[in-house]
Amino acid sequence: MELHVNIAKPSSIVRKLTIKVPADVVKNRFERGMVEVQRTAKLKGFRPGYAPISLIRQYYGDDVRQRVYDNLINDSFNQAVHDNKVAAVGSPKIETSGANLQDVEKDFTFVATVEVLPEIEPKGYEGMSLARDVVEVSLKDVDNFINSLRESHAELIPSSVDDLAKTGSFVDIAFSGKIVAESGELRNMDGLGGSRVLEIGSKAFIEVFEENLIGMKAGEKRTFRLDFPKDYKNSEFAGKKAEFEVALNEIKTKKLPELDDEFAKQMSCENIQDLKSKVESRLAGERNADADRKLRSELVQKLIEKNSFDVPVALVESEMRSLAENLAGELKQKGIDERTISEFLKKDIDSLRKRAENQVRATLILNAIANKENVEVTPANYEEEVGKLAASMNIEVQKLTEFYAKNSDRKDDFVFRVRQDRTVRLLLDKAKIKSKS
């Protein structure tokens, strides 16, 4: 449709579009809307499709008119930003004050205020001075890792019935607890009972709870009181006093597997030497990946410091929501309740906003550099990266390729991330990188 559009620039990241839709377009849309309603309208005395337009206008005119203006705003705004190459982000603020919304035979003018991507001329990105951690793997590191493998494959052997529970003992317990009210009354609350095998001293439970188990024998029962920490992860119990009754069913001792070729074979290795070699390679790979992440983080932070520009609020808020959702999911997996998660996110809002803004700035800067340096993702690049991703996910390349073929939005997001990664690699190739211990 033919539009008259005037664009003002209140700031570097805001555009104010005054959009005028010609009267003939408004009238045509309204008449088409009335005809569409006429086809299905059920009015007393008339079959659907046969009621006079005058009656349709009388009964449905206001609804059709409102729908016409809503659609016109949406369609004309989208056309205006497309035709005028406005890089809009987020939803526009629409103002129709002063517009005649009753007369569909007149021009319709409205104002749309929207944030836009900043125009960035990237600087200071060539020959950056960076430092990368030196990666070393000692024999002690290898031994510690192998010992952790032995710990994870340890057996729990029942102790003598006369043994006493001590720090490091594994105890099979059944327990039930009640909250102690200020009046001294004991009150039942969900989540204060159960059965489990607990290592005393592991701090899997409240430390004072585990301490009260020391000295118990198999078959013994014990009742004790404790105070939940004020910062306890479950806010329902935080700062409250509770009374627990614990029955110790059995005490067990951890027995580590022998460090021999048989153990190495359980770890899919030929012998102990092969196990040590593979552990060393794994640790080196993990530490190199960590060093690369830190190097990339330093590069991005320096880019942010060297390039100052305004950031659209809509992008920051969208990134904040994503970060908050991911953090909430992680906390929920750790068993933290919804109320505590909500309180934590409220307290952490400033930190989340800062992280979100930094991530948005990094994305925008890298995109500007990619445009300036003509960084592209060729079909060959795409196939290579899909292959790497499929290998890391342990799925067939063909299946991942078909997934992206059917999900264009996910494919676009993947290509965008690949382009950003290629841009970072370009900058690292041009950077002056020294090693640091």
Side-chain angles (χ1 to χ4, degrees):
M1 77 185 100
E2 184 178 346
L3 302 173
H4 177 75
V5 181
N6 180 59
I7 303 177
K9 298 181 179 181
S11 78
S12 62
I13 56 170
V14 176
R15 298 293 181 269
K16 191 172 186 178
L17 290 73
T18 302
I19 303 172
K20 182 167 72 173
V21 183
D24 60 327
V25 174
V26 179
K27 182 180 180 180
N28 180 265
R29 288 283 189 99
F30 180 73
E31 290 176 347
R32 280 162 47 194
M34 296 302 298
V35 171
E36 288 175 6
V37 171
Q38 183 188 37
R39 292 195 188 102
T40 57
K42 296 180 179 179
L43 292 178
K44 189 174 181 179
F46 299 95
R47 288 181 296 165
Y50 288 89
I53 281 291
S54 58
L55 281 179
I56 298 297
R57 185 187 295 267
Q58 178 182 339
Y59 283 97
Y60 299 100
D62 289 342
D63 290 341
V64 172
R65 187 182 298 107
Q66 185 61 55
R67 188 160 61 247
V68 165
Y69 283 122
D70 288 345
N71 290 337
L72 275 175
I73 288 172
N74 184 63
D75 294 347
S76 57
F77 171 76
N78 289 336
Q79 181 180 324
V81 297
H82 177 269
D83 292 349
N84 292 276
K85 296 180 173 58
V86 176
V89 294
S91 301
K93 177 185 176 183
I94 304 296
E95 300 173 70
T96 58
S97 58
N100 187 343
L101 300 182
Q102 297 301 316
D103 193 344
V104 295
E105 296 189 1
K106 289 187 176 181
D107 295 339
F108 171 51
T109 301
F110 68 96
V111 177
T113 304
V114 68
E115 288 188 300
V116 297
L117 293 175
E119 296 176 358
I120 304 172
E121 182 56 40
K123 57 187 178 183
Y125 63 85
E126 292 187 325
M128 297 174 68
S129 296
L130 304 171
R132 186 181 187 276
D133 290 341
V134 173
V135 172
E136 296 177 341
V137 179
S138 66
L139 291 176
K140 184 177 180 181
D141 294 331
V142 174
D143 288 342
N144 287 341
F145 188 89
I146 290 176
N147 283 334
S148 70
L149 288 177
R150 293 174 68 204
E151 289 277 354
S152 66
H153 288 76
E155 291 182 273
L156 294 180
I157 308 299
S159 300
S160 167
V161 292
D162 295 324
D163 285 352
L164 300 179
K166 58 187 178 182
T167 300
S169 296
F170 286 79
V171 290
D172 183 343
I173 60 172
F175 61 97
S176 61
K178 296 180 180 180
I179 294 297
V180 181
E182 291 184 7
S183 63
E185 178 188 358
L186 297 179
R187 296 177 180 173
N188 291 316
M189 285 189 73
D190 292 338
L192 290 178
S195 300
R196 68 173 295 172
V197 174
L198 171 69
E199 181 184 7
I200 298 177
S202 65
K203 297 182 181 180
F205 275 23
I206 301 174
E207 189 171 357
V208 67
F209 181 97
E210 296 182 12
E211 290 173 352
N212 273 282
L213 305 180
I214 294 175
M216 292 182 69
K217 286 184 177 182
E220 183 181 345
K221 291 185 178 181
R222 182 175 290 182
T223 300
F224 53 86
R225 291 189 175 188
L226 56 78
D227 293 318
F228 281 98
K230 292 182 179 179
D231 59 350
Y232 189 63
K233 63 182 182 180
N234 189 324
S235 58
E236 288 187 275
F237 306 141
K240 294 181 179 179
K241 183 181 292 293
E243 180 175 292
F244 284 93
E245 182 178 300
V246 179
L248 197 156
N249 302 317
E250 189 177 35
I251 299 174
K252 298 182 179 183
T253 304
K254 181 165 60 177
K255 181 183 178 182
L256 299 181
E258 294 295 328
L259 183 55
D260 52 22
D261 289 346
E262 186 61 35
F263 175 71
K265 289 176 181 177
Q266 290 180 29
M267 300 297 104
S268 301
C269 298
E270 294 181 5
N271 49 46
I272 285 295
Q273 195 54 46
D274 184 34
L275 174 61
K276 290 182 177 181
S277 176
K278 287 180 178 176
V279 166
E280 182 179 9
S281 295
R282 173 175 173 174
L283 291 176
E286 290 175 351
R287 293 179 184 183
N288 272 304
D290 186 54
D292 288 340
R293 280 192 293 271
K294 289 180 180 178
L295 183 65
R296 176 184 174 122
S297 178
E298 182 188 0
L299 180 148
V300 169
Q301 190 57 43
K302 286 192 173 183
L303 284 175
I304 291 173
E305 292 169 0
K306 291 173 181 288
N307 293 270
S308 178
F309 54 88
D310 293 328
V311 179
V313 175
L315 291 182
V316 175
E317 290 182 344
S318 176
E319 185 65 25
M320 275 184 66
R321 286 192 294 272
S322 178
L323 290 174
E325 288 172 2
N326 291 338
L327 180 56
E330 292 173 5
L331 294 175
K332 194 170 184 179
Q333 285 184 341
K334 294 179 180 179
I336 300 177
D337 63 284
E338 297 283 353
R339 179 180 170 185
T340 303
I341 291 174
S342 178
E343 291 174 354
F344 176 79
L345 291 178
K346 286 178 182 177
K347 291 179 182 177
D348 202 42
I349 190 70
D350 290 337
S351 174
L352 282 173
R353 188 181 303 279
K354 182 63 177 176
R355 285 175 57 199
E357 183 176 329
N358 275 349
Q359 290 191 24
V360 170
R361 286 185 181 278
T363 297
L364 293 175
I365 293 170
L366 289 174
N367 193 53
I369 295 172
N371 291 337
K372 188 172 182 178
E373 296 292 329
N374 297 314
V375 177
E376 300 293 343
V377 179
T378 65
N381 298 147
Y382 174 74
E383 289 180 10
E384 179 184 359
E385 295 300 326
V386 168
K388 290 180 182 178
L389 181 59
S392 69
M393 297 172 66
N394 197 28
I395 62 175
E396 295 178 11
V397 174
Q398 185 62 30
K399 287 186 177 180
L400 189 56
T401 301
E402 291 174 355
F403 171 79
Y404 282 134
K406 296 176 181 177
N407 297 271
S408 59
D409 288 345
R410 299 291 291 273
K411 179 180 178 180
D412 290 344
D413 180 63
F414 176 71
V415 171
F416 179 82
R417 286 185 282 113
V418 169
R419 187 173 187 243
Q420 294 251 307
D421 185 62
R422 290 178 63 80
T423 304
V424 169
R425 279 185 271 167
L426 173 69
L427 298 180
L428 290 176
D429 288 342
K430 294 183 177 184
K432 300 171 184 176
I433 303 173
K434 64 180 181 179
S435 299
K436 67 174 181 178
S437 300

